């Protein structure tokens, strides 16, 4: 018995020595993977620069198009009336806008409020298919039966808690009239200062605008749809709505890009959204987002990858057909090539957005800096390892002030000490990044100050310090989502804020000048 135990111990020790011997090679591979990922995402630096100065602007529309507004609502009697009121107050011809509401599994008076406010309301009861995507699928089927889906030129999608500025539809119509098929808009927050949780969401939407939407619109690429506040041409739902996953917006974005659609952004079209104020509810929502993100990557990632190298499945070139037309055929050929390049770039960009890099990073970190380094310490010991590293500004400062190093002889003690050091380095790195990311929040407060509700400096400071938790929550919910079954649950909305409450005096004065 003792011989077997001794053999097992020796075998384990030899295995640990062998794995530890691989560490230098694994460390090199780890560095290469990190460099490749950084290189793959370096283009996003250009997005930030472009987004600071530019966004796409649209000429006033020459034609007013016919639209439908679709709203999926579950127990939203407290807020849906305010949304419908803001739609009534649009400066766009009301006869060209029809509002449809699906009261989805409601146990309150959502349907009554919607009908009282003049919306066409359908009620749906299905305890098995509960996602917003299923509700929209039901609604588009009803519209198809009663009106014909293509009787409207385009469809707006809103959540029941949204509020629209009075020129929202007019500004979106500018984009639609310019020939754009899918358009998203400026997402503001109506309860920005209600809690630090709500502020993290609000800053996240503003970051998306400055770091993604604006640049993509300028470059004519495809930005991402974010759940609400977007418009698409009726051809998108010619065969009905098919996006029923936990995050229908991610699925629609990925599928649209894979099919070759551009998704643009209109900075002048502004709406307001209500954000969660309770951390428990926020965690539940973020877990659903993370699961939907992984599902969208698994479902559409392969198609986007193929598109990067193969382009569209067909190229509508008239080069051969238009030989007699000379320059016209060549021009079309060049346009087709340009469109192919645009589509490949948009596919790459969307794939990078869907790829779960946080999962990739945690896996390679556990394998190399934690496990392999621990076994390396077991075999070779620790000789003067720095407690503080220069991976961030905080780490560099602490290393300068406290140049502490640790050492240990080979063995089990060195194994566990090596693992603890690796974990400590990670914590220090994340803490440094946390503090650096607060600068992003301050940047957003400065650059978007005209459109953010005026806040006291104390709240700006608090929200800047708490803002990085948004990405931390997203990272850890994605880890959990890998293993946990996630179901769709509604997010409660109770804000009584109306569109009139959000009108600043400057807005009113500007309208008065325009009227005069």
């Amino acid at each position: 018995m003792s011989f077997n135990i001794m053999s097992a111990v020796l075998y384990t020790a030899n295995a640990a020595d062998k794995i530890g011997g691989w560490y230098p090679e694994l460390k090199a591979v780890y560095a290469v993977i990190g460099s490749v990922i950084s290189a793959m995402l370096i283009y996003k630096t250009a997005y930030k620069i472009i987004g600071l100065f530019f966004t796409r602007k649209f000429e006033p529309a020459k034609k007013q198009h016919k639209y439908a507004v679709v709203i999926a609502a579950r127990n939203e009697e407290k807020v849906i009336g305010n949304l419908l009121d803001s739609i009534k107050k649009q400066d766009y011809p009301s006869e060209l806008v029809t509002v449809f509401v699906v009261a989805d599994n409601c146990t309150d008076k959502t349907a009554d409020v919607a009908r009282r406010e003049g919306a066409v309301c359908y009620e749906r009861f299905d305890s098995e298919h509960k996602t917003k995507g299923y509700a929209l699928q039901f609604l588009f089927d009803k519209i198809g039966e009663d009106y014909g889906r293509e009787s409207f030129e385009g469809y707006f999608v809103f959540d029941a808690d949204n509020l629209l500025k009075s020129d929202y539809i007019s500004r979106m119509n500018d984009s639609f009239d310019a020939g754009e098929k899918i358009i998203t808009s400026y997402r503001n927050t109506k309860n920005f200062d209600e809690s630090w949780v709500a502020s993290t969401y609000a800053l996240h939407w503003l970051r998306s605008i400055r770091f993604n939407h604006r640049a993509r619109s300028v470059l004519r690429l495809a930005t991402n749809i974010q759940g609400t506040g977007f418009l698409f041409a009726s051809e998108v739902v010619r065969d009905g709505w098919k996006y029923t996953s936990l995050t229908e917006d991610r699925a629609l974005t990925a599928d649209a890009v894979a099919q070759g659609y551009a998704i643009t952004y209109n900075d002048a079209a502004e709406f307001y959204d209500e954000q969660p104020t309770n951390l428990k509810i926020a965690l539940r929502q973020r877990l659903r987002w993370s699961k939907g993100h992984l599902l969208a990557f698994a479902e559409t990632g392969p198609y986007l990858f193929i598109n990067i190298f193969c382009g569209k499945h067909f190229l509508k070139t008239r080069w051969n057909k238009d030989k007699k037309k000379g320059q016209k055929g060549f021009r079309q050929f060049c346009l087709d090539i340009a469109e192919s390049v645009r589509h490949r770039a948009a596919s790459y960009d969307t794939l990078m957005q869907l790829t779960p890099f946080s999962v990739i990073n945690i896996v390679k970190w556990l394998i190399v800096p934690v496990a392999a380094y621990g076994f390396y310490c077991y075999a070779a010991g620790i000789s003067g390892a720095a407690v503080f590293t220069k991976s961030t500004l905080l780490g560099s400062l602490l290393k300068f002030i406290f140049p502490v190093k640790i050492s240990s002889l080979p063995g089990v003690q060195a194994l566990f000490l090596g693992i603890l050091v690796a974990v400590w380095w990670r914590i220090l790195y994340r803490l440094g990044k946390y503090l650096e990311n607060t600068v992003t929040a301050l940047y957003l407060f400065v650059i978007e100050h005209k459109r953010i509700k005026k806040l006291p400096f104390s709240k700006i400071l608090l929200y800047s310090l708490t803002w990085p938790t948004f990405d931390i929550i997203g990272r850890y919910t994605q880890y959990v989502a890998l293993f946990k079954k996630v179901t769709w649950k509604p997010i409660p909305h109770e804000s009584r804020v109306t569109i009139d409450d959000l009108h600043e005096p400057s807005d009113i004065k500007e309208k008065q000048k325009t009227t005069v």
Side-chain angles (χ1 to χ4, degrees), residues 203 437-446 460 463-465 467-468:
L203 290 168
N437 286 339
T438 60
V439 176
T440 299
L442 292 172
Y443 161 79
L444 293 171
F445 274 117
V446 171
I460 292 176
Y463 295 160
S464 297
L465 291 173
W467 143 247

Side-chain angles (χ1 to χ4, degrees), residues 91-104:
D91 61 8
Y92 198 79
S94 59
E95 65 272 14
L96 295 178
V97 180
T98 304
V99 181
F100 294 95
V101 173
V102 52
D104 184 40

Side-chain angles (χ1 to χ4, degrees), residues 133-390:
Y134 280 114
L136 289 174
Q137 185 180 70
F138 172 86
L139 182 54
F140 278 107
D141 286 345
K142 288 295 184 182
I143 293 173
E145 293 171 7
D146 297 344
Y147 296 83
R149 282 188 290 269
E150 293 188 84
S151 62
F152 301 98
E153 295 175 79
Y155 288 90
F156 286 95
V157 178
F158 297 113
D159 288 340
D161 58 291
N162 297 162
L163 298 172
L164 314 185
K165 290 197 74 171
S166 60
D167 64 345
Y168 181 90
I169 294 180
S170 294
R171 300 289 72 77
M172 292 292 273
N173 184 63
D174 294 340
S175 302
F176 193 83
D177 193 59
E180 297 301 324
K181 301 293 186 181
I182 308 178
I183 309 115
T184 191
S185 55
Y186 189 100
R187 188 172 190 167
N188 211 329
T189 297
K190 66 182 183 183
N191 62 329
F192 199 125
D193 60 345
E194 197 168 334
S195 79
W196 70 268
V197 177
S199 74
T200 63
Y201 279 85
L203 290 168
H204 166 69
W205 303 128
L206 296 178
R207 176 179 61 175
S208 295
I209 289 167
R210 283 287 171 174
F211 288 8
N212 292 312
H213 297 335
R214 288 168 63 98
R216 287 170 177 155
S217 70
V218 170
L219 298 173
R220 306 302 195 269
L221 295 174
T223 195
N224 56 303
I225 295 166
Q226 295 177 316
T228 184
F230 61 96
L231 165 67
F232 57 80
S234 60
E235 66 185 64
V236 174
V237 288
R238 182 181 292 120
D239 299 320
W241 179 270
K242 58 182 179 180
Y243 309 103
T244 57
S245 63
L246 291 170
T247 50
E248 74 292 332
D249 53 342
R250 293 184 188 273
L252 171 59
T253 297
D255 188 50
V257 174
Q259 292 185 47
Y261 283 100
I263 304 175
T264 195
Y265 164 74
N266 189 319
D267 194 66
E270 184 176 354
F271 76 101
Y272 295 86
D273 193 27
E274 180 179 343
Q275 310 306 334
T277 58
N278 180 280
L279 182 58
K280 181 179 179 180
I281 292 174
L283 290 172
R284 187 177 75 197
Q285 184 185 58
R286 298 299 302 284
L287 181 60
R288 174 171 61 82
W289 287 5
S290 293
K291 191 69 173 184
H293 187 129
L294 294 173
L295 292 173
F297 173 73
E299 292 170 359
T300 315
Y303 297 104
L304 293 169
F305 182 79
I306 292 171
N307 283 346
I308 294 169
F309 299 99
C310 301
K312 290 185 178 180
H313 298 296
F314 57 90
L315 191 64
K316 295 181 179 179
T317 177
R318 294 200 301 262
W319 174 244
N320 293 325
K321 295 180 180 179
D322 291 346
K323 284 183 179 179
K324 294 181 180 179
K325 297 182 181 179
Q327 190 64 29
K328 183 177 180 181
F330 178 73
R331 180 176 180 276
Q332 185 60 44
F333 175 77
C334 292
L335 290 174
D336 287 338
I337 294 297
E339 170 56 21
S340 179
V341 172
R342 186 210 65 80
H343 179 231
R344 291 167 194 252
S347 296
Y348 176 84
D349 187 21
T350 304
L351 180 61
M352 292 301 97
Q353 185 177 353
L354 288 177
T355 301
F357 285 109
S358 60
V359 174
I360 295 172
N361 288 334
I362 193 67
V363 170
K364 67 186 184 72
W365 175 73
L366 288 172
I367 292 173
V368 181
V370 177
Y373 178 69
F375 287 122
Y376 174 78
C377 293
Y378 174 85
I382 302 175
S383 178
V387 173
F388 301 104
T389 65
K390 294 183 178 180

